[in-house]
Amino acid sequence: MPGLQELITGLEIGLIYGVLAIGIHLTFRVINFPDLTCEGSFVFGSTVSAVLIKAGCDPWTSLAAATAAGGLAGFLTGALHVWLKIDDLLSGLVVAFMLYSVNLRIMGMNPNIPLVDQATIFCGGGRPLFQISAVVLSVTALFVYLLNTDFGLGLRSIGQNKHFAAACGVNVSTMTIVGLTAANGLVGLSGAIYANHQGFCDVSQGIGCLVMGLASVIIGEKILKFSNVSWSIVACVVGSVVYRLFIAVAIHSDTFYLKTQDLNLITGLMIIALMARSKKCFG
Amino acid sequence: MKRPSPNDVFFSRSRRNAAQGPGILQVCEDPSSGSYEVGDGKDALGSGLMKAALLVIMPLAILLCQSCSQKNDNSVKIGVCKVVEHEAINSVVAGMEDYLRKHRRCRIFVETCQGNMALASQIITKFIGSETDVVVTVGTTPSQSAFQFAKNGKIKLVFGSVTNPGDISVDLAGRNVTGVSNFVDLGPQIRIFKKIQPNLRSMGIIYNTGEANSVSIIKRLRKACEKNGVTLMEQGIARLSEISQAAGRLSGMVDAVFITNDNLALSGISYVVAVCSRSKIPVYVSDVDQVPKGCLAALGPNQYDVGVQVGKMVERIADGEDVNKIAVEYPNVCELHVNLKAAKTLGLVVPKDVIAQAKNVIGE
């Protein structure tokens, strides 16, 4: 079938960024913390994974290490905010800023590590879609479960009303740090799968991932309008895939005599159309 | 204990209820987010799934229609993916396009991945879907993304402007890839600079620490400088806003500043020239197109000619030559460009034999 490869690649990338979107949903929506760490922790995860794979480590272990690395970055942001009382925006910003240098150090001052001839998670044969779906499904299931436990309720409560949560016996500081750690762990994991999928890791690959992840979260919310925690996690992944499909269509805009430079405009207009359409149109 | 604020409970009145009549107010305690609109659950599930399905089917349909409507003719189809919109990169693409259009019937599709690697993959798969004969990538990161598909035999890949082909893979043989690197030997460049400035002892270089091209040049430049008795002062930058400070710091310490094929540093070349000429320090580059901007001299390939070289390679593949039998090439000719206007401002006299050697002299 023509165009199949294109759709599958779009789907794969969408699913990978879906993990990132869940992370961003956790911070921006669930615990209501404007976390800017992710541009740093995304690359942090991918560099850790790439360097470990290059050193001969098992690729799946490297994913776990990348998750831990991303979590560490999130923990730092949380610690800066909670213990040093640094402004929430600034603490994320400063951690992402510092991570740029740290990432270059980890990569041995080499901004680009090729993984083409290394054993990545996709070396087992078959389409990468299988491995990616497996990871995304398990991550989604895990967080759907977690958010529905008492612990998850505590996590959600601090995003709604910190004072009320504290009054109910929730430790707001701990919960903020735990939320940020978990979220950035996911972002790191997403970065690691991304590097494995692309076959290289580049220090600049985190640029724009915050905006993209946030867009995915909002698109997902718009498509799956449920006041239900479990669906909101699924919505992140759906939003991310839809976003990628939009881009796949926008790339074909040359058929309508538009230039490739118009890509951002086309994608943006499609998102606006999705956001602005009233409830009447689609029932 | 603080009293709970009214924000804890969200009141939302759905539009449909409002239309049916006043007074039906839905109250929802929503712990995860305040931004949801609330309808009755079943209805939302149905319409939500429908919308999701619609959103997936729409792009599918458009893509299908397009691939059906494609015309079949015997012209060569070439897909180009360049890394960013940048003067040097655009001249490579222009050189390639002009050469191919002159020599063959061809359809060329140019896309920019805007430095985004996920986008690069999607662009390459578009080329695969539209049965492109040859894929050309300009820049290191899109070449790496495209190599994932070339090594599986899905595309024939020709890269351009990759300084170190080893960044794509150490082993390119038999993997459907070839191309033209933009690496130029550094020794001759430094020797020309020493001819212009016989007392050149130390040279500063500004480069982006996050750019693979530059870092691979720096490693070789260290050796080349050592051989020619020049001390190298490295100044890494991460973003454009740091460049004037970097130039300011270097201009107090070195005899000359050198900018190689670094996209970031070249974007800020005017700052560097302005800062350095204040302290009478010349700026050398590797990209001859930058010399008119106030740089003193450059010995390097003409980017347009590199593009022509890429075009010739694409033509050979289109003629049926096996991509695996074409070796990676380096720029054929290096040109020397000298800017005498800049020399005058700096109070430097450029030797006659250097001027005689130059292909292009500005401000004669």
Side-chain angles (χ1 to χ4, degrees):
Chain A
M1 187 177 120
L4 186 64
Q5 173 81 49
E6 201 173 348
L7 289 170
I8 290 177
T9 306
L11 186 61
E12 284 167 4
I13 298 173
L15 286 174
I16 295 172
Y17 277 126
V19 177
L20 169 95
I22 296 177
I24 287 178
H25 173 77
L26 278 182
T27 49
F28 275 78
R29 288 283 191 252
V30 175
I31 65 167
N32 196 13
F33 186 103
D35 176 34
L36 303 184
T37 324
C38 61
E39 299 223 343
S41 50
F42 186 78
V43 187
F44 196 26
S46 70
T47 50
V48 165
S49 172
V51 168
L52 284 178
I53 288 175
K54 195 110 199 187
C57 173
D58 173 59
W60 290 98
T61 319
S62 85
L63 285 197
T67 313
L72 179 70
F75 175 81
L76 259 176
T77 304
L80 288 184
H81 176 64
V82 168
W83 292 327
L84 300 184
K85 305 270 180 264
I86 295 175
D87 183 71
D88 47 7
L89 278 171
L90 186 64
S91 47
L93 199 64
V94 95
V95 170
F97 191 71
M98 293 189 299
L99 277 178
Y100 182 84
S101 305
V102 173
N103 290 332
L104 274 176
R105 272 277 166 206
I106 294 175
M107 293 161 92
M109 300 318 263
N110 192 358
N112 188 302
I113 298 181
L115 292 173
V116 183
D117 305 312
Q118 312 290 335
T120 62
I121 55 169
F122 303 117
C123 279
R127 281 195 184 282
L129 193 58
F130 295 127
Q131 285 97 323
I132 295 172
S133 311
V135 176
V136 173
L137 269 179
S138 42
V139 165
T140 312
L142 176 70
F143 276 83
V144 164
Y145 168 75
L146 271 183
L147 285 183
N148 281 307
T149 58
D150 276 359
F151 162 78
L153 194 63
L155 206 59
R156 279 147 50 197
S157 70
I158 67 163
Q160 289 298 309
N161 188 327
K162 281 198 175 73
H163 303 294
F164 191 58
C168 292
V170 177
N171 188 336
V172 176
S173 313
T174 316
M175 279 301 182
T176 306
I177 294 180
V178 168
L180 283 168
T181 308
N184 282 288
L186 287 184
V187 175
L189 175 65
S190 164
I193 307 172
Y194 182 72
N196 277 271
H197 184 253
Q198 294 283 304
F200 68 99
C201 159
D202 193 280
V203 78
S204 67
Q205 69 189 16
I207 294 171
C209 74
L210 173 65
V211 178
M212 208 168 47
L214 207 52
S216 306
V217 169
I218 296 168
I219 293 172
E221 280 171 356
K222 202 76 185 173
I223 298 169
L224 299 174
K225 285 183 187 169
F226 307 115
S227 55
N228 179 321
V229 211
S230 315
W231 277 107
S232 67
I233 296 285
V234 179
C236 297
V237 181
V238 173
S240 174
V241 170
V242 167
Y243 182 84
R244 277 295 141 191
L245 290 180
F246 275 178
I247 291 182
V249 173
I251 289 176
H252 281 271
S253 57
D254 49 1
T255 325
F256 311 110
Y257 303 101
L258 289 159
K259 283 259 169 208
T260 157
Q261 287 83 348
D262 303 325
L263 182 70
N264 283 8
L265 183 69
I266 312 285
T267 317
L269 285 178
M270 283 197 280
I271 293 173
I272 291 172
L274 172 69
M275 291 296 155
R277 57 144 196 73
S278 68
K279 222 178 164 188
K280 278 182 227 156
C281 305
F282 286 101
Chain B
M1 176 185 146
K2 263 201 159 180
R3 285 184 53 193
S5 80
N7 285 343
D8 292 339
V9 178
F10 292 96
F11 293 88
S12 145
R13 179 204 280 257
S14 82
R15 253 185 240 157
R16 193 176 308 146
N17 286 340
Q20 279 164 357
I24 307 167
L25 195 63
Q26 291 195 338
V27 181
C28 158
E29 192 171 354
D30 178 358
S32 74
S33 162
S35 67
Y36 297 98
E37 282 179 45
V38 178
D40 60 301
K42 244 193 207 161
D43 190 33
L45 182 71
S47 75
L49 286 181
M50 202 190 80
K51 273 169 230 157
L54 249 171
L55 281 164
V56 173
I57 290 166
M58 233 165 32
L60 257 168
I62 294 177
L63 288 183
L64 266 176
C65 290
Q66 283 193 336
S67 27
C68 296
S69 67
Q70 267 148 19
K71 286 167 236 145
N72 283 320
D73 52 27
N74 55 0
S75 62
V76 187
K77 226 169 163 190
I78 297 148
V80 183
C81 178
K82 53 182 176 180
V83 58
V84 282
E85 294 290 337
H86 188 283
E87 243 176 289
I89 291 191
N90 291 354
S91 351
V92 173
V93 176
M96 187 206 75
E97 274 195 271
D98 289 352
Y99 177 83
L100 284 171
R101 287 197 199 286
K102 221 181 281 168
H103 291 83
R104 286 197 67 107
R105 277 191 64 206
C106 57
R107 289 159 70 200
I108 303 175
F109 303 90
V110 184
E111 303 274 1
T112 314
C113 73
Q114 301 163 5
N116 185 330
M117 296 124 220
L119 195 51
S121 299
Q122 288 194 284
I123 290 172
I124 305 298
T125 49
K126 175 200 168 183
F127 293 152
I128 296 174
S130 51
E131 282 157 7
T132 310
D133 296 306
V134 184
V135 173
V136 179
T137 49
V138 187
T140 305
T141 49
S143 307
Q144 287 175 314
S145 295
F147 183 67
Q148 290 287 329
F149 300 102
K151 69 172 184 186
N152 299 332
K154 287 189 177 129
I155 51 171
K156 288 174 192 159
L157 177 63
V158 177
F159 61 78
S161 283
V162 176
T163 302
N164 180 13
D167 278 344
I168 300 175
S169 169
V170 190
D171 180 26
L172 294 176
R175 299 172 102 170
N176 306 310
V177 57
T178 185
V180 182
S181 162
N182 65 351
F183 177 74
V184 216
D185 206 2
L186 293 156
Q189 296 185 55
I190 296 169
R191 283 195 283 279
I192 282 281
F193 304 157
K194 281 198 90 170
K195 254 190 197 168
I196 299 172
Q197 263 185 296
N199 54 353
L200 179 68
R201 295 267 174 277
S202 61
M203 191 163 72
I205 180 159
I206 301 175
Y207 71 103
N208 180 1
T209 46
E211 213 171 290
N213 274 345
S214 313
V215 174
S216 73
I217 289 180
I218 291 286
K219 282 181 192 153
R220 299 184 216 197
L221 189 61
R222 278 184 205 136
K223 282 181 205 149
C225 280
E226 207 175 306
K227 248 188 215 162
N228 289 288
V230 175
T231 325
L232 186 69
M233 304 278 296
E234 294 164 31
Q235 180 64 57
I237 53 170
R239 48 190 66 79
L240 200 55
S241 54
E242 296 164 9
I243 201 165
S244 47
Q245 276 162 301
R249 175 177 171 263
L250 278 181
S251 63
M253 300 157 70
V254 294
D255 301 327
V257 170
F258 181 32
I259 308 259
T260 60
N261 288 333
D262 183 292
N263 289 327
L264 186 69
L266 285 180
S267 307
I269 190 85
S270 312
Y271 288 112
V272 180
V273 170
V275 173
C276 290
S277 51
R278 233 177 282 148
S279 30
K280 306 267 176 209
I281 303 283
V283 178
Y284 299 107
V285 280
S286 290
D287 181 358
V288 288
D289 295 332
Q290 306 292 332
V291 175
K293 292 183 179 166
C295 307
L296 181 59
L299 174 68
N302 187 324
Q303 299 294 334
Y304 186 88
D305 291 340
V306 172
V308 172
Q309 215 173 327
V310 174
K312 282 181 185 160
M313 217 174 233
V314 173
E315 193 189 21
R316 281 163 71 186
I317 295 168
D319 284 340
E321 203 170 323
D322 184 5
V323 58
N324 289 317
K325 290 197 176 124
I326 304 175
V328 173
E329 290 176 8
Y330 289 85
N332 284 333
V333 259
C334 281
E335 295 173 3
L336 176 66
H337 289 212
V338 181
N339 188 340
L340 290 182
K341 246 196 320 203
K344 214 173 171 188
T345 337
L346 296 165
L348 269 170
V349 181
V350 181
K352 286 231 167 63
D353 58 325
V354 174
I355 296 177
Q357 207 183 323
K359 171 108 193 268
N360 186 13
V361 180
I362 295 162
E364 249 175 318

